[in-house]
Amino acid sequence: MPLVTSKKMFQMAYKNGYAVGAFNVNNMEITQGIIQAIAEEKAPLILQVSRGAREYASNSYLTAIMNVAVKENPDIPIVTHLDHGDNFETCKQFVDDGFTSVMIDASKMPFAENIKVTKDVVKYAHDHGVVVEAELGQLGGIEEDVVGVDDVAKHLTDPNQAVEFVEKTGVDSLAVAVGTSHGAYKFKTEPKLAIDRIQEIQDKLPGFPLVMHGSSSVLREFVDLINKYGGKMPNAMGVPESAITQASKMAVCKVNIDTDLRLALTAKIRQVFAEKAGEFDPRKYLGPGRDAIKAMVKHKLHVLGCAGKAAECL
Ligand code: G3H
Ligand code: 13P
Ligand code: ZN
């Protein structure tokens, strides 16, 4: 029974001080790189599909690829998750298609409307044995010199609102705004994560699993490789891995990583093209790219502390 919801994973992650990696899937090579790393490290896994991935590859291709990964790894607990579902209908569709977890992202809506749509999704999903993640607050960097301290605080998840939101919706996990943001340019100056805000939310919601989006670290080594081989990524900056590890030991039970996989893949493909100008067989650059994804995921599993934890999550 390797296809699971995240319920047991989050219980174990919370109790034992680690986080489960939620990696974004866009095609076969990315999925294979992730699953090879997971199988070798014996870690629990959340495979997730974003709106961009759905538009690029289609739900049916992505679902089929993920189902093969699940089938071939019966000893690994795997969650199939809808990342950033926009509305009730999208979430319903993924519940109906057999995903075990959906995210309803109504964080841009007013608080009351976010509660309403999340509650509707929770009702439908729970009736079908599926778990739900929602989001509260606005993702964004913490830069006191760019926006005032008060503005920063406004965008972070309010701990009291988080309590009310969880109570009123019955949601299973909550994505919180604690200074992270999507993509490769998270900070303009010093990278900063609001660990104190995670602590405040966790104190008010003891035992409740939190989710951190935008958790790529944009490792210098990979940005440098991309730039060395003809890319242009000035000032790319992510969340320091030490902060990710610290959050993983707290109530953060799911950590979303996409950008770091993109960087690993891009750096490797650029290197192949630069070093073998005559190469035109896609397998000769996508293959090394897949290996680069695998190496990156293996590394991340140790940052999150979930390597070796597959068995206890089954
Ligand atoms: O949700 C954030 C992910 O990095 C996905 O982005 O919609 O461009 O695939 P995307
Ligand atoms: P990154 O862009 O930091 O990898 O975040 C991905 C994410 O949060 C997907 O939902
Ligand atoms: Zn996200």
Side-chain angles (χ1 to χ4, degrees), residues 42 46 50 52 58 72 81 93 97 100-101 104 137 146 161 171 185-187 193 204 218 245 259 269-270 288 300 308:
K42 307 215 174 318
I46 299 171
S50 68
S58 88
E72 289 188 347
H81 177 73
Q93 184 195 340
D97 283 352
T100 58
S101 175
I104 172 70
V146 179
Q161 276 199 341
V171 76
Y185 302 90
K186 302 187 193 298
F187 304 97
L193 190 61
K204 287 188 183 284
V218 190
T245 300
T259 297
I269 290 176
R270 279 195 174 279
K300 292 291 171 184

Side-chain angles (χ1 to χ4, degrees), residues 24-26 48-56 83-84 103 105 139 182-183 213-214 216 256-259 262:
N24 285 78
V25 158
N26 289 278
Q48 59 186 11
V49 294
S50 68
R51 182 175 19 185
R54 303 191 297 273
E55 282 166 5
Y56 171 74
D83 192 22
H84 295 283
M103 174 189 192
D105 180 1
L139 295 192
H182 293 116
H213 283 245
S216 282
N256 284 15
I257 298 174
D258 186 354
T259 297
R262 297 178 182 193

Side-chain angles (χ1 to χ4, degrees), residues 130-307:
V130 170
V131 293
V132 180
E133 172 187 330
E135 181 171 321
L136 189 61
Q138 302 289 314
L139 295 192
I142 312 170
E143 287 156 315
E144 284 152 27
D145 56 332
V146 179
V147 280
V149 179
D150 289 348
D151 293 334
V152 167
K154 258 190 260 161
H155 294 296
L156 300 184
T157 303
D158 178 299
N160 292 320
Q161 276 199 341
V163 174
E164 188 183 341
F165 188 87
V166 169
E167 276 171 3
K168 288 193 169 156
T169 59
V171 76
D172 301 280
S173 61
L174 186 65
V176 288
V178 289
T180 65
S181 57
H182 293 116
Y185 302 90
K186 302 187 193 298
F187 304 97
K188 288 198 179 65
T189 53
E190 197 201 340
K192 231 176 194 177
L193 190 61
I195 290 284
D196 49 344
R197 184 57 63 105
I198 299 174
Q199 187 66 55
E200 286 171 52
I201 300 169
Q202 137 174 10
D203 288 347
K204 287 188 183 284
L205 284 169
F208 187 81
L210 304 181
V211 177
M212 234 165 56
H213 283 245
S215 297
S216 282
S217 294
V218 190
L219 301 168
R220 196 71 249 159
E221 176 190 343
F222 292 86
V223 175
D224 286 349
L225 275 174
I226 288 171
N227 290 336
K228 176 178 170 188
Y229 293 115
K232 210 173 194 180
M233 297 194 67
N235 311 319
M237 205 183 291
V239 185
E241 289 191 328
S242 56
I244 299 288
T245 300
Q246 200 180 352
S248 302
K249 289 180 177 158
M250 302 170 70
V252 172
C253 296
K254 172 175 180 271
V255 166
N256 284 15
I257 298 174
D258 186 354
T259 297
D260 279 341
L261 306 190
R262 297 178 182 193
L263 295 177
L265 182 65
T266 302
K268 182 48 76 179
I269 290 176
R270 279 195 174 279
Q271 185 180 4
V272 173
F273 283 158
E275 290 175 352
K276 298 179 186 167
E279 192 52 75
F280 66 96
D281 180 344
R283 295 167 297 189
K284 299 287 168 45
Y285 52 87
L286 292 176
R290 177 172 58 193
D291 293 343
I293 295 269
K294 176 182 175 185
M296 177 63 81
V297 172
K298 285 184 85 148
H299 168 71
K300 292 291 171 184
L301 299 175
H302 291 276
V303 172
L304 304 178
C306 64

Side-chain angles (χ1 to χ4, degrees), residues 56-69:
Y56 171 74
S58 88
N59 298 351
S60 46
Y61 269 90
L62 293 171
T63 304
I65 290 168
M66 293 197 301
N67 284 341
V68 173

